[in-house]
Amino acid sequence: MRKVAVPHRSTSDPAPLAQHQRLTLLRQAVDQCGIPLQNRVVAALVLLYAQPLTRIARLTTDDALHEDGEVLVRLGEPPSPVPEPLAGLLLTCLDQRPNTRTATNPNARWLFSGRRAGQPTLELRLRHLGFPTQRGRTAAIRHLVLQAPAPVIARMLGYHDDTTAQLAAEAGGAWRHYAPGDHTR
């Protein structure tokens, strides 16, 4: 058998987007009607909640909650509030899920139902539309850990405490001495 050279691909986090770039992309995801609705909602979940595409692809209809006039998305515990106009887009996406009326998917619960073989993945579709998912996700999580304690962000978004603590330290967060747990005593 011939020798095969496998190219090296760096797994380190790329430089995050600047905050103004992330917010511009988030506005585009929410406002541009020319982009398919599913792609807009997925891009917004990446840019707002720092969710990896693998976790977004596993969301079910039970993870999108509409309670007491408030829209929530279960990414961790407790569910995260979804601000307008993304809340409206998420509810519309929930009502208009494609590929659920076929013989193979009559009871599909996936929020973002699968594609047919040969169609591009979520990552390729978003990259083609100009949404850099990994850099956007990195920027979002770094911004979030500067706004609240890392353990709070970790639980709400389904991250590990150590991951968010490390990101907060790298971003220069002031919450590093926050003691997680129940403070109601």
Side-chain angles (χ1 to χ4, degrees), residues 45 49 51-52 54-67 70-82 90 94 109 111-112 153-159:
L45 290 172
Y49 297 105
Q51 292 300 295
T54 54
R55 191 174 301 151
I56 291 171
R58 289 191 316 254
L59 290 174
T60 67
T61 55
D62 298 329
D63 294 320
L65 311 167
H66 192 199
E67 301 172 348
E70 186 176 20
V71 177
L72 305 163
V73 63
R74 186 178 296 116
L75 305 168
E77 288 301 327
S80 301
V82 180
L90 182 61
L94 189 61
R109 304 293 301 157
L111 184 56
F112 304 104
I153 297 299
R155 286 187 187 95
M156 284 188 71
L157 300 182
Y159 277 83

Side-chain angles (χ1 to χ4, degrees), residues 4-150:
V4 176
V6 178
H8 173 72
R9 182 174 176 216
S10 175
T11 58
S12 64
D13 280 341
L17 295 172
Q19 179 68 352
H20 73 279
Q21 290 173 309
R22 183 177 74 90
L23 294 176
T24 298
L25 287 169
L26 187 55
R27 266 187 227 98
Q28 287 175 3
V30 170
D31 294 339
Q32 285 191 355
C33 295
I35 298 174
L37 180 61
Q38 274 195 339
N39 294 347
R40 293 167 61 197
V41 173
V42 170
L45 290 172
V46 169
L47 294 167
L48 191 59
Y49 297 105
Q51 292 300 295
L53 293 174
T54 54
R55 191 174 301 151
I56 291 171
R58 289 191 316 254
L59 290 174
T60 67
T61 55
D62 298 329
D63 294 320
L65 311 167
H66 192 199
E67 301 172 348
D68 301 325
E70 186 176 20
V71 177
L72 305 163
V73 63
R74 186 178 296 116
L75 305 168
E77 288 301 327
S80 301
V82 180
E84 283 295 343
L86 178 57
L89 288 177
L90 182 61
L91 292 177
T92 303
C93 188
L94 189 61
D95 290 338
Q96 298 177 3
R97 292 178 307 127
N99 200 21
T100 58
R101 304 252 193 281
T102 63
T104 57
N105 287 327
N107 300 317
R109 304 293 301 157
W110 301 112
L111 184 56
F112 304 104
S113 44
R115 310 293 278 184
R116 289 183 300 213
Q119 289 186 336
T121 62
L122 278 176
E123 182 179 9
L124 291 175
R125 291 190 326 230
L126 293 179
R127 189 181 316 150
H128 176 72
L129 293 168
F131 294 102
T133 56
Q134 192 171 5
R135 292 180 64 218
R137 190 167 75 88
T138 302
I141 193 67
R142 287 187 180 189
H143 178 75
L144 289 168
V145 296
L146 291 175
Q147 302 301 311

